[in-house]
Amino acid sequence: ARTTLPGTGSAASGNRSGWWKSRGIIVVATTPAAMANQKGLGELWTRLKFLLLAIIVYRVGSHIPVPGIDPARLESIFNQTQNTIFVMANMFSGGALERMSVLALGVMPYISASIIIQLLSSVVPHLEQLKKEGEQGRRKISQYTRYGTLVLAIVQSFFIALWLESPQAFQGFQIVNNPGWGFRLVTVCTLASGTLVLMWLGEQIQEKGIGNGISLIITAGILSSAPSAVMTLKMLLSPAGGGPSQLQPLTLLIMVFFLISVIIAITLITQAQRKIPVQYPKRVVGRKVMGGQSVFIPFKVNNGGVMPIIFAQSIILFPATIGVFVPNQFIQQVSAALSSGTTFYVVLTML
């Protein structure tokens, strides 16, 4: 048998609960703290299940190709375009761009629209006024961000369709089976709709999940390449042809140490706050002295987050992307100078 005794956690009811237990009856405490704890755990589990379901939907959609293309040939050619903006976009999309799936654009149009709206809010009086109107103003700005995401997704989808139809971009191979306006219309509708679905998933995770919806979608896309990275690491650690391995265990330990150190440093900087002291003056009300306390206004040290880094890398990698399609000697030299890992690239990224 199972029963519930209100207040069984008190000392007065201790003897009664012992009398019930001696007769094989389980006593469940229903104190307010216990009920609140159970309710909190249940809500957290519900949010985690919703997050898992949203990530599954995202990963399934990233493997559905756009109609009318040859994804295998596209993937083989895509692997040759290193140190370009396509690599970063493919990373954020979880490999959906190289497969040219319906979610190939990922959340990049949403990130770009958010950055553009943030920049315009400093120079456009209407947007600047909306920032000062509290929750209602933020909702209006979010609506403008959605409209901007749709416009950018349509424009990017159209140019991707033109790029896929061009055999010169793929070493003379024809990627599209039936090029023309029919393929362009289908590609624009498919890719733009996929971006809007991801934006909606991010907002749903923000409301019904554990928050940070767009960041979690990006994280899920990046972590999706972890199994292949582990297999590559295993291959590098294995001796090749009886000789030494390409990656030594000591080098791997040093890389892991620096990786953990960078993660800890980024976490500390992200969570760091600068406390601005505010002193309230004292007031004399009748015979009492009111006020006079000192409080602090917290300001985050890194208020911009990762948005400036993503925006800077997009700008720097843009010339390298142009160099893939334009066979000009000067553009090729600029692309080589701005390749990932060069000194010029690192200095510009830091600036």
Side-chain angles (χ1 to χ4, degrees):
R2 184 182 182 92
T3 186
T4 301
L5 295 179
T8 52
S10 62
S13 60
N15 295 331
R16 293 199 303 271
S17 62
W19 184 85
W20 287 104
K21 290 180 181 179
S22 65
R23 284 155 178 79
I25 300 176
I26 301 176
V27 180
V28 180
T30 57
T31 58
M35 295 178 64
N37 189 22
Q38 293 177 1
K39 182 179 179 181
L41 292 177
E43 183 180 359
L44 177 60
W45 176 240
T46 302
R47 290 179 176 272
L48 289 176
K49 288 192 295 184
F50 181 84
L51 172 63
L52 180 61
L53 180 61
I55 291 178
I56 291 176
V57 172
Y58 164 56
R59 294 310 304 161
V60 170
S62 64
H63 287 81
I64 302 176
V66 173
I69 65 171
D70 187 355
R73 181 175 294 179
L74 176 63
E75 184 176 359
S76 63
I77 298 177
F78 191 88
N79 294 329
Q80 303 175 9
T81 58
Q82 301 297 324
N83 297 327
T84 62
I85 196 173
F86 293 114
V87 178
M88 185 178 66
N90 184 61
M91 178 185 65
F92 284 124
S93 63
L97 183 59
E98 65 181 2
R99 292 186 291 268
M100 198 51 62
S101 71
V102 295
L103 304 180
L105 291 180
V107 294
M108 291 299 293
Y110 179 80
I111 294 175
S112 302
S114 300
I115 295 174
I116 293 174
I117 293 298
Q118 289 181 8
L119 294 176
L120 291 179
S121 62
S122 302
V123 295
V124 178
H126 177 65
L127 295 178
E128 188 176 0
Q129 181 64 29
L130 288 177
K131 290 178 61 177
K132 301 177 182 179
E133 294 181 0
E135 183 64 25
Q136 185 177 0
R138 283 192 294 268
R139 290 181 180 178
K140 198 68 176 179
I141 292 178
S142 299
Q143 192 70 20
Y144 290 155
T145 305
R146 297 188 189 101
Y147 294 150
T149 302
L150 177 60
V151 173
L152 290 178
I154 292 175
V155 173
Q156 293 179 10
S157 302
F158 180 74
F159 282 102
I160 285 179
L162 295 180
W163 172 59
L164 292 174
E165 289 181 344
S166 176
Q168 292 79 11
F170 302 100
Q171 303 174 359
F173 292 101
Q174 186 69 38
I175 302 297
V176 181
N177 298 327
N178 298 308
W181 280 104
F183 170 76
R184 297 170 190 172
L185 182 61
V186 171
T187 303
V188 169
C189 294
T190 304
L191 296 182
S193 300
T195 299
L196 296 181
V197 168
L198 281 184
M199 181 182 64
W200 177 80
L201 272 181
E203 294 178 352
Q204 294 302 310
I205 294 175
Q206 182 74 25
E207 297 177 1
K208 302 179 182 179
I210 59 176
N212 297 323
I214 299 298
S215 300
L216 288 175
I217 290 178
I218 295 175
T219 303
I222 296 175
L223 292 180
S224 64
S225 60
S228 61
V230 171
M231 296 300 298
T232 304
L233 181 61
K234 182 180 178 180
M235 183 180 62
L236 292 176
L237 290 174
S238 302
S245 59
Q246 301 181 34
L247 182 63
Q248 300 299 322
L250 180 60
T251 306
L252 178 61
L253 290 178
I254 295 176
M255 293 172 61
V256 172
F257 171 76
F258 279 107
L259 175 63
I260 296 176
S261 300
V262 169
I263 292 176
I264 294 175
I266 292 175
T267 304
L268 293 177
I269 294 176
T270 303
Q271 299 295 329
Q273 294 180 349
R274 181 183 179 184
K275 296 182 178 180
I276 308 298
V278 177
Q279 182 68 37
Y280 288 96
K282 296 181 179 180
R283 296 181 303 163
V284 179
V285 181
R287 297 182 179 181
K288 297 181 179 180
V289 179
M290 308 292 293
Q293 71 271 19
S294 179
V295 296
F296 295 94
I297 301 177
F299 280 93
K300 297 186 67 175
V301 175
N302 183 22
N303 194 28
V306 297
M307 289 297 182
I309 300 176
I310 297 175
F311 193 58
Q313 288 185 342
S314 301
I315 295 177
I316 294 174
L317 292 177
F318 185 73
T321 307
I322 298 298
V324 176
F325 306 103
V326 181
N328 184 276
Q329 183 178 2
F330 175 73
I331 296 179
Q332 296 292 335
Q333 293 177 354
V334 174
S335 302
L338 293 178
S339 298
S340 177
T342 60
T343 304
F344 198 39
Y345 171 85
V346 174
V347 171
L348 285 180
T349 303
M350 294 175 61
L351 293 178

